Amino acid sequence: SRLHLFTYVTIMFFQVSNPQSSNIAELMVNPATSECIVEYKSGGTYSYTNVDRVAIDDLLYARADVSLGQWVNTHLAKSSGVICDDRT
């Protein structure tokens, strides 16, 4: 008899909230898959892949307030290697 092993991966996103952000309506991050989804207050929604996992961890566990707009610019929009897909 053969034993079949199946691995189930739960895709879990964590919502990062900062109600004072002037540009970011919602930021969802998945450290397991290195993916982020950003909804901008201007209306666009974008998916970013190949995001630095350390940057995601630093955002999730930051002890001080973090500017979401600055984090998105630094680690998503202007980071080489990050892939952006328009979801709107």
Side-chain angles (χ1 to χ4, degrees):
S1 94
R2 290 184 163 180
L3 177 64
H4 294 278
L5 298 176
F6 294 96
T7 303
Y8 293 96
V9 177
T10 302
I11 299 176
M12 182 180 297
F13 282 87
F14 297 94
Q15 182 175 8
V16 180
S17 60
N18 183 340
Q20 298 174 8
S21 177
S22 59
N23 293 316
I24 310 297
E26 184 173 40
L27 173 60
M28 306 289 287
V29 298
N30 185 332
T33 62
S34 297
E35 183 178 2
C36 298
I37 298 172
V38 181
E39 180 183 340
Y40 292 93
K41 288 185 177 177
S42 62
T45 301
Y46 297 86
S47 174
Y48 297 88
T49 55
N50 202 33
V51 179
D52 182 0
R53 288 183 181 176
V54 173
I56 293 173
D57 286 343
D58 287 348
L59 176 66
L60 288 175
Y61 301 108
R63 300 208 186 279
D65 285 339
V66 174
S67 165
L68 294 186
Q70 186 177 15
W71 190 89
V72 166
N73 273 336
T74 301
H75 299 288
L76 303 182
K78 295 180 180 177
S79 182
S80 63
V82 172
I83 301 164
C84 177
D85 290 319
D86 186 351
R87 298 185 72 166
T88 52

